Amino acid sequence: LTALSLLAFTACKDTTADDGTMAADTALASSELPADTAAPEAPLDSATMAKNWEEYMTPGNMHKWMASTNGKWDAAFTFWQGPDAPPDSSSKATVDNRTILGGRYQESIYKGTVMGTSFEGKGTMGYDNAKDKFINTWIDNMGTGMMQMEGTYDSTTKTLTMTGTGVDPSTGKDVAMRQVIKTIDDKHQTLEMYDTKGGKEYKSMEIRLTKK
């Protein structure tokens, strides 16, 4: 609003004319507000808020699918250090999946030997009812950062595809990563990890999982 418009608006606010001038001037001042100014949303009533929260916190079909992979698994790793690097398939681990917090999340504990080094890692998977997406975090003893990903499950191909970022320890910068978990049958899964180097995506890891 210009200084003149503000002055006019203030005058109209303080003075009431018999001929309705105040209403007209007030409308004029209001018309000078930005066109994209939206009216504030009305607050939700307590019953609606309670219903929304109940739906948000209640495990659903995706949580049931997640729980179907609970149990102990053998994991056989294959690593690629770069797009043209040869594969290394010497690493193995055991995996223990279990649901926590009333079936809302799944915790995965990995223990084994990776590239000749004692390895331990921990993943947490959840399905966010509000986002309609899976959320995954990962930490292990081969780093000090935390990988975070999110994505969706395709029931037709039985594939969970997630994207996110990890840290390149050489630069300290985030790099784009993609993870694909495919269910072969009740006792077999594959987990593929795709890294990015030089702006190019490549397959950096594959885990073949067999349920005990």
Side-chain angles (χ1 to χ4, degrees), residues 119-136:
F119 174 75
E120 184 174 354
K122 181 176 181 178
T124 303
M125 180 87 75
Y127 183 79
D128 190 315
N129 287 335
K131 285 187 171 184
D132 289 330
K133 287 185 177 182
F134 280 92
I135 312 293
N136 178 238

mmCIF file of all heavy atoms in Angstrom, residues 119-136:
data_model
loop_
_atom_site.group_PDB
_atom_site.id
_atom_site.type_symbol
_atom_site.label_atom_id
_atom_site.label_comp_id
_atom_site.label_asym_id
_atom_site.label_seq_id
_atom_site.Cartn_x
_atom_site.Cartn_y
_atom_site.Cartn_z
ATOM 1 N N PHE A 119 31.703 -56.458 10.507
ATOM 2 C CA PHE A 119 30.683 -55.504 10.082
ATOM 3 C C PHE A 119 29.442 -55.610 10.941
ATOM 4 O O PHE A 119 28.985 -56.699 11.292
ATOM 5 C CB PHE A 119 30.316 -55.770 8.620
ATOM 6 C CG PHE A 119 29.174 -54.940 8.104
ATOM 7 C CD1 PHE A 119 29.345 -53.596 7.804
ATOM 8 C CD2 PHE A 119 27.910 -55.504 7.915
ATOM 9 C CE1 PHE A 119 28.293 -52.831 7.330
ATOM 10 C CE2 PHE A 119 26.854 -54.753 7.438
ATOM 11 C CZ PHE A 119 27.046 -53.400 7.149
ATOM 12 N N GLU A 120 28.887 -54.454 11.297
ATOM 13 C CA GLU A 120 27.606 -54.395 11.984
ATOM 14 C C GLU A 120 26.849 -53.178 11.491
ATOM 15 O O GLU A 120 27.393 -52.071 11.426
ATOM 16 C CB GLU A 120 27.797 -54.299 13.493
ATOM 17 C CG GLU A 120 26.491 -54.329 14.277
ATOM 18 C CD GLU A 120 26.705 -54.380 15.775
ATOM 19 O OE1 GLU A 120 27.862 -54.506 16.212
ATOM 20 O OE2 GLU A 120 25.690 -54.285 16.510
ATOM 21 N N GLY A 121 25.593 -53.365 11.119
ATOM 22 C CA GLY A 121 24.768 -52.262 10.624
ATOM 23 C C GLY A 121 23.352 -52.362 11.148
ATOM 24 O O GLY A 121 22.903 -53.435 11.574
ATOM 25 N N LYS A 122 22.666 -51.231 11.126
ATOM 26 C CA LYS A 122 21.293 -51.197 11.631
ATOM 27 C C LYS A 122 20.429 -50.314 10.736
ATOM 28 O O LYS A 122 20.764 -49.164 10.471
ATOM 29 C CB LYS A 122 21.272 -50.646 13.057
ATOM 30 C CG LYS A 122 19.888 -50.600 13.691
ATOM 31 C CD LYS A 122 19.986 -50.132 15.136
ATOM 32 C CE LYS A 122 18.618 -50.103 15.805
ATOM 33 N NZ LYS A 122 18.710 -49.688 17.221
ATOM 34 N N GLY A 123 19.333 -50.890 10.271
ATOM 35 C CA GLY A 123 18.381 -50.145 9.452
ATOM 36 C C GLY A 123 17.052 -50.020 10.171
ATOM 37 O O GLY A 123 16.656 -50.902 10.927
ATOM 38 N N THR A 124 16.357 -48.917 9.931
ATOM 39 C CA THR A 124 15.006 -48.731 10.450
ATOM 40 C C THR A 124 14.099 -48.363 9.279
ATOM 41 O O THR A 124 14.373 -47.413 8.551
ATOM 42 C CB THR A 124 14.949 -47.611 11.502
ATOM 43 O OG1 THR A 124 15.865 -47.906 12.556
ATOM 44 C CG2 THR A 124 13.548 -47.496 12.081
ATOM 45 N N MET A 125 13.046 -49.151 9.114
ATOM 46 C CA MET A 125 12.104 -48.923 8.022
ATOM 47 C C MET A 125 10.734 -48.594 8.596
ATOM 48 O O MET A 125 10.288 -49.205 9.573
ATOM 49 C CB MET A 125 11.996 -50.179 7.152
ATOM 50 C CG MET A 125 11.043 -50.049 5.972
ATOM 51 S SD MET A 125 11.847 -49.352 4.525
ATOM 52 C CE MET A 125 12.815 -50.770 3.989
ATOM 53 N N GLY A 126 10.077 -47.630 7.990
ATOM 54 C CA GLY A 126 8.714 -47.297 8.395
ATOM 55 C C GLY A 126 7.889 -46.934 7.176
ATOM 56 O O GLY A 126 8.422 -46.599 6.123
ATOM 57 N N TYR A 127 6.576 -47.040 7.330
ATOM 58 C CA TYR A 127 5.668 -46.573 6.279
ATOM 59 C C TYR A 127 4.876 -45.415 6.848
ATOM 60 O O TYR A 127 4.128 -45.570 7.822
ATOM 61 C CB TYR A 127 4.726 -47.679 5.799
ATOM 62 C CG TYR A 127 3.840 -47.221 4.666
ATOM 63 C CD1 TYR A 127 4.342 -47.157 3.368
ATOM 64 C CD2 TYR A 127 2.515 -46.828 4.891
ATOM 65 C CE1 TYR A 127 3.541 -46.707 2.322
ATOM 66 C CE2 TYR A 127 1.717 -46.389 3.854
ATOM 67 C CZ TYR A 127 2.231 -46.335 2.569
ATOM 68 O OH TYR A 127 1.447 -45.887 1.532
ATOM 69 N N ASP A 128 5.056 -44.228 6.262
ATOM 70 C CA ASP A 128 4.402 -43.011 6.724
ATOM 71 C C ASP A 128 3.016 -42.922 6.096
ATOM 72 O O ASP A 128 2.884 -42.706 4.892
ATOM 73 C CB ASP A 128 5.265 -41.803 6.342
ATOM 74 C CG ASP A 128 4.800 -40.510 6.988
ATOM 75 O OD1 ASP A 128 3.576 -40.258 6.980
ATOM 76 O OD2 ASP A 128 5.650 -39.740 7.465
ATOM 77 N N ASN A 129 1.984 -43.088 6.913
ATOM 78 C CA ASN A 129 0.612 -43.061 6.394
ATOM 79 C C ASN A 129 0.232 -41.721 5.781
ATOM 80 O O ASN A 129 -0.579 -41.661 4.852
ATOM 81 C CB ASN A 129 -0.382 -43.394 7.518
ATOM 82 C CG ASN A 129 -0.365 -44.855 7.898
ATOM 83 O OD1 ASN A 129 -0.005 -45.711 7.099
ATOM 84 N ND2 ASN A 129 -0.738 -45.148 9.132
ATOM 85 N N ALA A 130 0.794 -40.639 6.299
ATOM 86 C CA ALA A 130 0.455 -39.315 5.778
ATOM 87 C C ALA A 130 1.121 -39.056 4.435
ATOM 88 O O ALA A 130 0.520 -38.482 3.524
ATOM 89 C CB ALA A 130 0.855 -38.235 6.784
ATOM 90 N N LYS A 131 2.375 -39.490 4.296
ATOM 91 C CA LYS A 131 3.109 -39.292 3.040
ATOM 92 C C LYS A 131 2.806 -40.359 2.003
ATOM 93 O O LYS A 131 3.115 -40.195 0.824
ATOM 94 C CB LYS A 131 4.612 -39.297 3.309
ATOM 95 C CG LYS A 131 5.156 -38.043 3.958
ATOM 96 C CD LYS A 131 6.684 -38.120 4.010
ATOM 97 C CE LYS A 131 7.294 -36.804 4.451
ATOM 98 N NZ LYS A 131 8.780 -36.857 4.415
ATOM 99 N N ASP A 132 2.248 -41.502 2.433
ATOM 100 C CA ASP A 132 2.070 -42.676 1.560
ATOM 101 C C ASP A 132 3.410 -43.126 0.996
ATOM 102 O O ASP A 132 3.521 -43.464 -0.190
ATOM 103 C CB ASP A 132 1.084 -42.379 0.416
ATOM 104 C CG ASP A 132 -0.350 -42.257 0.910
ATOM 105 O OD1 ASP A 132 -0.679 -42.920 1.907
ATOM 106 O OD2 ASP A 132 -1.117 -41.493 0.303
ATOM 107 N N LYS A 133 4.429 -43.143 1.853
ATOM 108 C CA LYS A 133 5.772 -43.534 1.417
ATOM 109 C C LYS A 133 6.477 -44.317 2.512
ATOM 110 O O LYS A 133 6.210 -44.140 3.704
ATOM 111 C CB LYS A 133 6.605 -42.301 1.082
ATOM 112 C CG LYS A 133 6.222 -41.603 -0.203
ATOM 113 C CD LYS A 133 7.190 -40.460 -0.503
ATOM 114 C CE LYS A 133 6.859 -39.790 -1.822
ATOM 115 N NZ LYS A 133 7.827 -38.715 -2.143
ATOM 116 N N PHE A 134 7.390 -45.190 2.061
ATOM 117 C CA PHE A 134 8.295 -45.847 2.993
ATOM 118 C C PHE A 134 9.442 -44.892 3.309
ATOM 119 O O PHE A 134 9.910 -44.148 2.441
ATOM 120 C CB PHE A 134 8.855 -47.138 2.393
ATOM 121 C CG PHE A 134 7.909 -48.298 2.475
ATOM 122 C CD1 PHE A 134 7.032 -48.565 1.438
ATOM 123 C CD2 PHE A 134 7.894 -49.117 3.592
ATOM 124 C CE1 PHE A 134 6.146 -49.632 1.512
ATOM 125 C CE2 PHE A 134 7.012 -50.185 3.682
ATOM 126 C CZ PHE A 134 6.139 -50.448 2.644
ATOM 127 N N ILE A 135 9.892 -44.916 4.560
ATOM 128 C CA ILE A 135 11.019 -44.110 5.016
ATOM 129 C C ILE A 135 12.060 -45.063 5.593
ATOM 130 O O ILE A 135 11.709 -45.961 6.372
ATOM 131 C CB ILE A 135 10.607 -43.097 6.103
ATOM 132 C CG1 ILE A 135 9.352 -42.331 5.672
ATOM 133 C CG2 ILE A 135 11.756 -42.155 6.410
ATOM 134 C CD1 ILE A 135 9.545 -41.409 4.505
ATOM 135 N N ASN A 136 13.314 -44.885 5.219
ATOM 136 C CA ASN A 136 14.365 -45.796 5.660
ATOM 137 C C ASN A 136 15.599 -45.019 6.114
ATOM 138 O O ASN A 136 15.992 -44.038 5.474
ATOM 139 C CB ASN A 136 14.737 -46.745 4.512
ATOM 140 C CG ASN A 136 15.864 -47.689 4.885
ATOM 141 O OD1 ASN A 136 16.896 -47.714 4.229
ATOM 142 N ND2 ASN A 136 15.677 -48.476 5.918
#
